[in-house]
Amino acid sequence: MRSREMAFFKRKKKDQRIDEITAWAESYREGRNKEEEDLLQAPAPTEAVNAEEEREAAETLGGTPLTVDLLEEIDTDPLREVEEVLPQGEEEPFQQERVEPEESDGRIEVLGTVEERTGEVRPVEEEAEPEVEETSAAISFFQRLRAGLSRTREGLIGRIDRLFSVGKKIDAETLEELEEILVESDIGVGNALALIEKIRERIGRKELKDAQVIKECIREDLAAVLAGNDYALNRPENDPYVIMVVGVNGAGKTTTIGKLAHRYTRAGEGVLLAAGDTFRAAATEQLEIWGERVGAEVIRHQSGADPSAVVFDALKAAASRQVPVVIADTAGRLHTQVNLMEELKKMKRVMGKVVPGAPHEVLLVLDATTGQNALSQARIFHETVGVTGIVLTKLDGTAKGGIVTAITAELGIPVKLIGIGEGMEDLRDFHPEEFVSALFE
């Protein structure tokens, strides 16, 4: 009986202390009891007296002193000691009434806790409407192009910055180093020499004084080299529109055909693919896979068949089925293989007989990572079939992107399409302004 009374007394005192602390905390948060707040901020002697009184009271009751830190020190389960003292099976003297929280009606309160309790109404700030992103696709493309040209930019602009980073004087030796940088960036030997000569003349006229002005000079010259060409695909007024795709093995020719076909099928146009690569094993099967992916029909013959016969049947099928776009694949070959290059001439003649004016576009697919070797390929293919445009693939993984200007300047062949990734949408039209901006910015 004595133990039960002691347990009841201890729990009662703890309940009282909990109530006192809860009341104090609420009054502090609500700002209603300013006197108590001032008391808590009073000098140390007063706090010491209060602390002494609390300790004496606690010793009398066998508890712990009540201090302002009691919220942190109090046991989170105040009834644990009582349950240990009481024998099992016996009822407690009384139970604290539990207050159930009110059910919410699901509405969101506009005012926060402070406003509800103090009655202070704060103006609700209206959320700013998100700005509409302008042409996010175009911005994304430029960012990806810039990222793809990062290695080329480092090899050209980065090296120029380091050349003049220590306040180096612009003299003959510096110009020789600059010439070396330009040549190694694959913008072409002719372009590099002509550019150095222009810089030397402007230095003589005291127009160039620092690296920034020299970079602007290089930028203007490269933009001038790329300007003045027709970079759009040559589409005739009457269908079918015939595109002949040539290039060496490994340049990405078949993949380019698939992505180009996707461009037209996405626009709602029918596309027919001519499997003219009858030489390479599994080339036809690879083209058929792309045809299934993009929704284009494939005209094929047996392996080893005459590719000119495949092209002939494909053009006849396109005319009878009124398919507006025909893309002809060809066997990948080295530009040094004369007999195979002659086969391309035959295919081109057959196209012109079936569809007057065909092929309307002869696209040469070049791997940008091959650098100056791509220039040699372009020269031979152009002499053989009259290349009308370049498709430069793998531009996102090379430091030799300057080959664009070399091909344009030395051969006069415009780069019409560029590959900046492996995605279906990563075959893009080439815009010289964007290219130069992505290279220098």
Side-chain angles (χ1 to χ4, degrees), residues 16 26 262 315:
Q16 289 176 353
E26 289 180 357
H262 170 70
L315 294 177

Side-chain angles (χ1 to χ4, degrees), residues 171-287:
D171 52 16
E173 183 180 351
T174 305
L175 290 180
E176 287 183 6
E177 294 183 39
L178 180 60
E179 180 181 327
E180 181 181 346
I181 293 173
L182 294 175
V183 171
E184 291 179 355
S185 66
D186 284 301
I187 68 171
V189 176
N191 278 343
L193 295 178
L195 186 52
I196 289 296
E197 188 60 31
K198 290 179 182 179
I199 293 175
R200 186 177 285 110
E201 291 177 359
R202 295 185 64 177
I203 291 176
R205 297 194 301 266
K206 298 182 179 180
E207 296 177 2
L208 302 180
K209 297 181 180 180
D210 54 38
Q212 186 60 36
V213 180
I214 290 179
K215 285 197 298 183
E216 286 299 324
C217 180
I218 297 173
R219 176 173 181 165
E220 292 172 3
D221 189 79
L222 294 183
V225 170
L226 296 175
N229 291 290
D230 184 10
Y231 294 95
L233 295 172
N234 300 319
R235 180 90 185 242
E237 295 181 359
N238 301 321
D239 294 332
Y241 173 35
V242 183
I243 303 174
M244 182 181 184
V245 183
V246 299
V248 302
N249 285 327
K253 183 165 48 66
T254 307
T255 301
T256 297
I257 291 173
K259 293 179 179 180
L260 190 59
H262 170 70
R263 168 183 293 205
Y264 293 112
T265 56
R266 185 185 58 181
E269 296 189 84
V271 178
L272 193 148
L273 304 179
D277 187 357
T278 60
F279 181 76
R280 181 170 62 90
T284 300
E285 289 75 10
Q286 184 182 1
L287 191 65

Side-chain angles (χ1 to χ4, degrees), residues 71-329:
L71 281 173
E72 299 178 359
E73 297 176 0
I74 191 168
D75 192 346
T76 54
D77 189 1
L79 301 182
R80 183 168 52 198
E81 295 182 17
V82 179
E83 293 173 352
E84 293 174 356
V85 174
L86 287 175
Q88 292 186 356
E90 291 191 27
E91 236 180 18
E92 297 180 15
F94 64 90
Q95 294 184 353
Q96 186 177 356
E97 183 180 358
R98 182 178 178 182
V99 181
E100 296 292 339
E102 296 182 0
E103 294 184 1
S104 172
D105 57 0
R107 293 180 297 178
I108 300 175
E109 296 290 339
V110 177
L111 297 177
T113 306
V114 175
E115 288 87 345
E116 289 178 348
R117 295 183 175 180
T118 60
E120 178 184 355
V121 179
R122 299 181 181 179
V124 180
E125 297 182 1
E126 296 183 0
E127 294 184 0
E129 296 183 0
E131 297 181 1
V132 180
E133 296 184 0
E134 51 178 39
T135 58
S136 58
I139 296 174
S140 174
F141 168 68
F142 179 79
Q143 291 173 346
R144 295 187 62 186
L145 176 61
R146 188 178 184 281
L149 291 174
S150 59
R151 294 179 63 184
T152 301
R153 183 169 53 253
E154 172 61 23
L156 177 60
I157 309 304
R159 291 180 64 186
I160 293 176
D161 288 338
R162 288 191 292 272
L163 177 63
F164 296 99
S165 61
V166 292
K168 196 170 186 178
K169 183 180 179 181
I170 303 177
D171 52 16
E173 183 180 351
T174 305
L175 290 180
E176 287 183 6
E177 294 183 39
L178 180 60
E179 180 181 327
E180 181 181 346
I181 293 173
L182 294 175
V183 171
E184 291 179 355
S185 66
D186 284 301
I187 68 171
V189 176
N191 278 343
L193 295 178
L195 186 52
I196 289 296
E197 188 60 31
K198 290 179 182 179
I199 293 175
R200 186 177 285 110
E201 291 177 359
R202 295 185 64 177
I203 291 176
R205 297 194 301 266
K206 298 182 179 180
E207 296 177 2
L208 302 180
K209 297 181 180 180
D210 54 38
Q212 186 60 36
V213 180
I214 290 179
K215 285 197 298 183
E216 286 299 324
C217 180
I218 297 173
R219 176 173 181 165
E220 292 172 3
D221 189 79
L222 294 183
V225 170
L226 296 175
N229 291 290
D230 184 10
Y231 294 95
L233 295 172
N234 300 319
R235 180 90 185 242
E237 295 181 359
N238 301 321
D239 294 332
Y241 173 35
V242 183
I243 303 174
M244 182 181 184
V245 183
V246 299
V248 302
N249 285 327
K253 183 165 48 66
T254 307
T255 301
T256 297
I257 291 173
K259 293 179 179 180
L260 190 59
H262 170 70
R263 168 183 293 205
Y264 293 112
T265 56
R266 185 185 58 181
E269 296 189 84
V271 178
L272 193 148
L273 304 179
D277 187 357
T278 60
F279 181 76
R280 181 170 62 90
T284 300
E285 289 75 10
Q286 184 182 1
L287 191 65
E288 286 181 326
I289 292 174
W290 272 105
E292 293 177 1
R293 290 179 63 183
V294 302
E297 185 180 357
V298 178
I299 301 297
R300 58 169 295 178
H301 283 192
Q302 294 180 353
S303 178
D306 185 358
S308 297
V310 178
V311 170
F312 179 86
D313 290 346
L315 294 177
K316 287 295 185 180
S320 62
R321 302 171 191 176
Q322 296 183 344
V323 179
V325 180
V326 178
I327 304 176
D329 188 14

Side-chain angles (χ1 to χ4, degrees), residues 11-12 30 32 56 136 142 149 170-171 175 194 260 282 303 313 337 342 355 379 388 410 430 436:
R11 193 185 70 170
K12 183 176 180 181
E30 297 173 8
R32 295 177 178 175
E56 291 177 1
S136 58
F142 179 79
L149 291 174
I170 303 177
D171 52 16
L175 290 180
L260 190 59
S303 178
D313 290 346
Q337 296 172 315
E342 288 296 324
V355 178
R379 184 177 290 108
T388 60
E410 298 190 23
F430 177 75
V436 174

Side-chain angles (χ1 to χ4, degrees), residues 233-234 236 240-247 253-254 256-257 260 264 272-277 307-308 311 315 325-333 340-352 357-366 381-382 384-391 416-417:
L233 295 172
N234 300 319
Y241 173 35
V242 183
I243 303 174
M244 182 181 184
V245 183
V246 299
K253 183 165 48 66
T254 307
T256 297
I257 291 173
L260 190 59
Y264 293 112
L272 193 148
L273 304 179
D277 187 357
S308 297
V311 170
L315 294 177
V325 180
V326 178
I327 304 176
D329 188 14
T330 59
R333 61 206 68 205
L340 295 179
M341 297 297 284
E342 288 296 324
E343 189 178 84
L344 291 179
K345 293 181 179 179
K346 180 183 177 182
M347 294 178 67
K348 186 178 180 182
R349 289 195 301 268
V350 170
M351 292 179 187
H360 306 103
E361 196 78 72
V362 180
L363 297 179
L364 171 61
V365 181
L366 294 176
F381 274 100
H382 186 49
T384 304
V385 292
V387 176
T388 60
I390 301 294
V391 181
K416 296 194 172 183
L417 299 169

